[in-house]
Amino acid sequence: MMVAVIREFPGLLPGFQWRDIDVGGMRIRTAIGGKGPPLLLLHGHPQMHLTWHKVAPALAERFTVVATDLRGYGDSEKPDGGPEHINYSKRAMAADQIGVMKALGFDRFRVIGHDRGGRVAHRLALDAPQAVEKLVVIDIAPTATMYARTDMEFARRYFWWFFLIQPYPLPEKLISADPDFFLENHIAGQIKIPDSVDPRVMAEYRRCYADPAMRHAACEDYRAAAGIDLVHDAEDDDRRIEVVPSVRTVLRA
């Protein structure tokens, strides 16, 4: 019987523990640390949970911090995309995160999402408002709005929005020629402060991105965003994020 070895990073996330949490057959890599109200951190593309290493230890002084690898990213499971890339819809990715938090005993929690994780967090709040106590989304605008307002400046600046959605296997094949080059140039293009990525973290980004399954999953993530996610968002076009009061809030009132 083979037992998977879980990679741990105590030098980057001191005091954290790592687990693989099974959510309906989907294995999600999860780092947990700290004490206090639960706080879920969701990363962006092309990163994984270590992207939070500079802030997570400080947050862990006040919260029970849960930092996951989104499905398809890092060391989480990388399923087939399915019809219309539905397995990488933000609805499916959000359901993973609700399952992780429930497995840890948290039915209600705070969420911070960046980039792709921000889109997952937004969908999570729409689909499960009773689970979200507070929500922060960083560096996103609605996908439909971004596509509708596309101009040459946006197309040049965010070329991967149009490259990664191309039919399989075009982007996967081209990136496979030099994954490190594509990854490092992509990250460098997004960073405003040179050399701000810890070399240990960049090494983990490279390790994960070396896996063809992750590169394919990232493409599926963007293909879903340009397809099934737009359908889900259109269905909720007249909705706003709801705030469901906690029992404690109701009693105080």
Side-chain angles (χ1 to χ4, degrees):
M1 178 180 178
M2 294 183 63
V3 178
V5 176
I6 296 180
R7 293 176 68 88
E8 299 188 349
F9 307 93
L12 290 166
L13 292 174
F16 277 66
Q17 296 180 332
W18 282 259
R19 293 173 53 185
D20 280 339
I21 297 180
D22 186 284
V23 181
M26 189 64 52
R27 176 180 47 78
I28 302 297
R29 180 62 51 86
T30 306
I32 309 131
K35 183 182 296 185
L39 170 63
L40 175 64
L41 303 180
L42 302 177
H43 66 84
H45 167 271
Q47 293 93 1
M48 33 97 80
H49 74 275
L50 289 181
T51 195
W52 300 104
H53 76 99
K54 292 182 180 179
V55 298
L59 290 171
E61 295 175 4
R62 297 177 52 200
F63 301 97
T64 298
V65 175
V66 180
T68 64
D69 289 344
L70 296 171
R71 71 160 61 183
Y73 289 87
D75 289 307
S76 285
E77 196 158 348
K78 301 165 179 63
D80 178 78
E84 299 181 355
H85 321 290
I86 195 166
N87 288 334
Y88 287 91
S89 68
K90 303 310 155 291
R91 173 163 285 157
M93 297 169 88
D96 292 342
Q97 304 305 317
I98 294 171
V100 165
M101 297 304 278
K102 284 186 176 179
L104 295 173
F106 304 127
D107 292 323
R108 189 172 171 86
F109 47 89
R110 296 160 170 82
V111 188
I112 300 176
H114 171 248
D115 187 66
R116 311 310 292 173
R119 300 179 191 285
V120 174
H122 179 254
R123 173 46 61 184
L124 193 161
L126 286 172
D127 287 354
Q130 74 285 351
V132 179
E133 184 172 346
K134 294 183 179 181
L135 171 68
V136 176
V137 292
I138 303 171
D139 196 24
I140 70 162
T143 304
T145 301
M146 298 295 282
Y147 277 126
R149 296 182 181 179
T150 293
D151 56 17
M152 184 168 289
E153 180 182 0
F154 176 69
R156 283 176 171 171
R157 183 72 178 81
Y158 289 83
F159 72 92
W160 61 92
W161 275 52
F162 308 93
F163 172 54
L164 297 181
I165 67 175
Q166 297 305 309
Y168 173 85
L170 179 62
E172 289 94 336
K173 188 73 171 177
L174 294 177
I175 295 170
S176 70
D178 196 338
D180 283 356
F181 178 82
F182 183 85
L183 171 72
E184 291 170 18
N185 273 267
H186 181 89
I187 291 176
Q190 300 307 300
I191 291 176
K192 306 304 181 185
I193 304 173
D195 302 319
S196 61
V197 179
D198 188 299
R200 296 169 295 175
V201 175
M202 182 60 78
E204 287 303 307
Y205 292 167
R206 289 193 202 97
R207 176 184 66 83
C208 295
Y209 212 67
D211 182 355
M214 178 176 160
R215 300 196 298 269
H216 176 58
C219 293
E220 289 293 286
D221 176 11
Y222 277 85
R223 289 170 181 140
I228 191 65
D229 286 343
L230 294 179
V231 174
H232 292 160
D233 289 347
E235 292 171 349
D236 289 330
D237 188 54
D238 61 345
R239 290 184 57 201
R240 295 293 181 266
I241 292 173
E242 302 174 41
V243 177
V244 177
S246 66
V247 174
R248 183 173 52 190
T249 300
V250 171
L251 290 176
R252 274 207 305 266

